[in-house]
Amino acid sequence: MPVHRKPSPAIEQVPGHPGRIRVRDATAPAIRRGTLLLAAVLAGCVATPREPSAAARLWLDCASAAHAALDGEVALPDAGIALADHCSTRALLDLFRRHPGGWQPGRRRIAGRELELRIEGASPMARGAYTITPAQDVPVPPGWDFRQPGFGLPLVLRADRCTDAPDCALYTPEGIYRWATAWIEHGDDVPVVRIVDPVATPSTTVGGRGMRLSFDAFSSYWKGAMASRLPRLGVYGLLGGDGIGRRAGAYLLTDYDPRKTPVVMVHGLGSHPIIWAELSGAIWADPVLRDSYQVIHVVFQTNAPLLVSTQRVRTYLDRMWELLDPEGDDPARGKMVLVGHSLGGVVARLLAVDSGRVLWDAAFTVAPGQLHGAAEDVAAIQDIFLFDPYPGVCAVVMLAAPHKGSPAASGFAGRLARALVARRAPEIQALKEVTLAHPEDVREEVRDSYRFARLDSIWTLRAPQPVRRAGESLLPAPGIRYHTIAGDLHGQGGDGLVPLESALLPGARSTLVVDQGHTLYRDPVVIGRVLEILREERGLPCAGAADPGNTADAGDAARDMPD
């Protein structure tokens, strides 16, 4: 005789939690509809004014019940998914607004409810507990909206930067800020707050349907930028403050990916890398570009002469690659795109050229191998004046760059600025020592400047400056593609600081002139053009890049050339 077993109840009490229930079989259509109805009732209850912790518990229960109802294989109507998303979002907003700090994976009791936090795809550079902020609570500038709608609540995760490995120094000291998306799921006995990287996990299954996750590509960066002192340090660095000098280097804004092409952004005179905020956000918000590129911001002190700044940026990039790819065989190492504004645009161009003896002969009367002086001084001078294209550079985009100098550097404002700008670059001391000991080796046009160390970034941007003038002829090496973007404000022939003719270069793959001032890096047309260049670069080879595996000193050939 067959044995008839009583079916397990679809809803049962949670052991050890009097008064709480859980759904055992939410796949039964009637039970799923009933559970959704329960969630809707809970959501309606929250509409009645009540004590905050009670509202938080109701939202958590609503989210958990709604997700339980959606946990079957049969797809439910959009209304059910929308209810689950609504309750989950309201619960998480309340949760992280009232308890932003001290979050780590595991269980935690909040508002009289125990819940479990799961973080998937966390940055390996993060240490300690997380501070979690709803992305919508980050006050981004008007119009800077890089959000993708979808399921879940976009968040900003912030944790301390690691200090236990050398490559930790390649990330900003303000902390590790990362985008994330969260929602609440129905766990076995407690609600589960699931937090994922929406780039690594772009979708999830809800109610038997694949749902694209919501994603905020910008708020995590902007949250970190608001905590940064770089805007003040950039100006102080021009005036001799050493704060930005201590911060100088190349910084990754996301975790290093050996397959993605680096876009290296170089700021201008007295500036800072936060000027690249909108361009960086636009790259992250574009799925194709985000999958192809990783953004790297360069920080450097801008009071040093142009060639010294260029040599320093080379050093920062060298250090970055030594830490990220010591073997030099990552695809990322073999192709880089440089983007520079103003002084940074000139630096970017010089990182793509073969100097030969062009700059050397504008400053010295003897061949590189015949310069008299202490060996360390001569070596330092050769490193500044003789160099090859930086290995891996494939394309350069230059915005408002004074390739032929700027009249502003010679005018009253330039003279006043030069009186304030500090001249402490230690590299200049080598020039001073050699010039004092052997003045005959130095050309008369620059002898006094070198002897008295009267060198700074503004002086080297003066149109008549001999070394700068000689450098006009140096264009990116064959095979390296370059693009110029310039401002012609109200048709006045320049952007107010850089003349139009100074910002344009012959042979450019593309040229764009916009009706903008010197801060044209924020112009939507300019940003759109840079994005177009990056899309185009995805399919182009890197024929002109020097071999990253070639460790020979830059400028060796020029050093050995006879006079």
Side-chain angles (χ1 to χ4, degrees):
M1 184 173 181
V3 177
H4 296 281
R5 300 183 182 274
K6 184 178 180 180
S8 299
I11 299 178
E12 66 179 10
Q13 181 176 313
V14 177
H17 296 274
R20 293 187 58 191
I21 61 171
R22 66 182 176 191
V23 179
R24 287 189 55 129
D25 182 13
T27 60
I31 296 299
R32 295 178 74 190
R33 288 193 295 270
T35 309
L36 271 179
L37 179 61
L38 171 63
V41 170
L42 291 169
C45 290
V46 189
T48 304
R50 61 189 63 247
E51 191 265 329
S53 61
R57 288 192 296 271
L58 286 171
W59 282 124
L60 279 170
D61 291 344
C62 170
S64 183
H67 194 276
L70 297 172
D71 207 18
E73 295 181 358
V74 179
L76 283 181
D78 290 347
I81 296 174
L83 177 62
D85 193 27
H86 175 70
C87 291
S88 177
T89 295
R90 291 296 302 266
L92 293 174
L93 284 172
D94 178 86
L95 185 66
F96 295 130
R97 283 170 176 168
R98 296 204 299 134
H99 307 278
W103 289 97
Q104 291 183 322
R107 296 202 171 192
R108 180 170 174 175
R109 195 168 186 82
I110 298 289
R113 289 282 188 270
E114 188 177 11
L115 55 84
E116 180 182 352
L117 183 75
R118 297 177 187 171
I119 300 179
E120 303 170 23
S123 170
M125 315 312 293
R127 297 292 184 271
Y130 287 92
T131 297
I132 302 179
T133 305
Q136 68 190 58
D137 292 349
V138 178
V140 300
W144 292 21
D145 187 4
F146 300 104
R147 293 171 181 166
Q148 166 188 291
F151 186 83
L153 176 68
L155 300 174
V156 175
L157 304 186
R158 188 269 173 201
D160 290 340
R161 181 187 72 174
C162 62
T163 58
D164 52 0
D167 57 343
C168 295
L170 298 177
Y171 297 84
T172 57
E174 286 83 8
I176 303 298
Y177 291 81
R178 293 293 182 266
W179 52 56
T181 301
W183 64 95
I184 295 175
E185 295 184 348
H186 175 75
D188 289 337
D189 57 350
V190 298
V192 174
V193 178
R194 188 176 173 195
I195 300 178
V196 305
D197 176 349
V199 173
T201 306
S203 63
T204 189
T205 300
V206 182
R209 296 166 54 183
M211 298 294 295
R212 185 177 69 169
L213 295 181
S214 60
F215 173 47
D216 187 312
F218 184 69
S219 292
S220 56
Y221 171 77
W222 193 245
K223 179 80 171 173
M226 290 191 301
S228 175
R229 297 177 60 234
L230 283 175
R232 295 192 302 275
L233 293 178
V235 176
Y236 293 156
L238 181 62
L239 302 179
D242 57 3
I244 202 165
R246 291 192 296 269
R247 285 287 303 271
Y251 290 91
L252 282 76
L253 281 304
T254 54
D255 297 328
Y256 174 64
D257 189 328
R259 69 182 180 86
K260 291 185 180 181
T261 299
V263 180
V264 180
M265 301 182 182
V266 189
H267 62 78
L269 186 68
S271 190
H272 51 82
I274 297 175
I275 67 164
W276 300 117
E278 196 164 9
L279 175 59
S280 300
I283 293 172
W284 294 322
D286 186 302
V288 173
L289 297 181
R290 185 175 66 235
D291 189 58
S292 302
Y293 294 99
Q294 53 195 330
V295 175
I296 294 170
H297 287 177
V298 171
V299 179
F300 71 106
Q301 191 160 3
T302 60
N303 65 336
L306 172 61
L307 295 184
V308 171
S309 292
T310 303
Q311 196 267 345
R312 288 178 178 177
V313 173
R314 295 177 73 97
T315 301
Y316 305 150
L317 294 176
D318 285 344
R319 175 60 174 162
M320 179 186 74
W321 289 119
E322 287 169 4
L323 295 173
L324 295 177
D325 181 29
E327 298 83 10
D329 57 3
D330 286 351
R333 183 68 185 90
K335 184 175 183 179
M336 286 189 292
V337 178
L338 305 181
V339 181
H341 171 252
S342 192
L343 172 67
V346 183
V347 169
R349 172 173 64 90
L350 292 178
L351 288 170
V353 307
D354 178 353
S355 70
R357 281 183 48 173
V358 171
L359 303 172
W360 183 274
D361 289 343
F364 303 101
T365 60
V366 297
Q370 298 172 353
L371 185 66
H372 298 89
E376 60 272 19
D377 289 340
V378 172
I381 293 170
Q382 290 178 340
D383 285 342
I384 293 172
F385 284 85
L386 306 171
F387 46 85
D388 298 328
Y390 191 80
V393 171
C394 298
V396 185
V397 184
M398 296 158 283
L399 285 64
H403 301 291
K404 300 176 183 177
S406 171
S410 299
F412 173 76
R415 292 194 299 273
L416 177 61
R418 286 199 61 215
L420 297 173
V421 168
R423 306 183 184 97
R424 297 189 206 165
E427 297 90 341
I428 297 175
Q429 295 306 308
L431 280 171
K432 179 179 179 180
E433 296 299 328
V434 166
T435 304
L436 288 173
H438 303 280
E440 70 282 359
D441 288 359
V442 180
R443 292 200 178 274
E444 184 178 357
E445 301 96 306
V446 296
R447 193 176 297 155
D448 284 346
S449 298
Y450 292 179
R451 179 188 293 122
F452 298 110
R454 293 174 180 166
L455 288 172
D456 55 58
S457 51
I458 297 176
W459 187 84
T460 54
L461 288 177
R462 294 169 60 244
Q465 207 278 328
V467 177
R468 188 220 56 74
R469 193 168 62 244
E472 290 181 18
S473 64
L474 296 176
L475 296 176
I480 298 180
R481 297 170 287 275
Y482 58 100
H483 308 258
T484 57
I485 299 177
D488 183 15
L489 186 61
H490 307 322
Q492 65 183 22
D495 62 20
L497 288 177
V498 177
L500 189 58
E501 64 174 355
S502 183
L504 303 181
L505 290 176
R509 185 178 179 90
S510 73
T511 296
L512 172 67
V513 178
V514 294
D515 186 5
Q516 291 290 332
H518 195 57
T519 57
L520 49 75
Y521 47 77
R522 293 191 57 186
D523 180 58
V525 174
V526 171
I527 292 172
R529 179 64 191 123
V530 177
L531 299 183
E532 289 175 2
I533 292 170
L534 293 177
R535 293 188 190 99
E536 179 184 279
E537 279 295 320
R538 292 177 61 249
L540 296 177
C542 199
D547 180 9
N550 181 6
T551 57
D553 289 340
D556 277 349
R559 290 182 176 92
D560 297 335
M561 290 174 61
D563 197 6

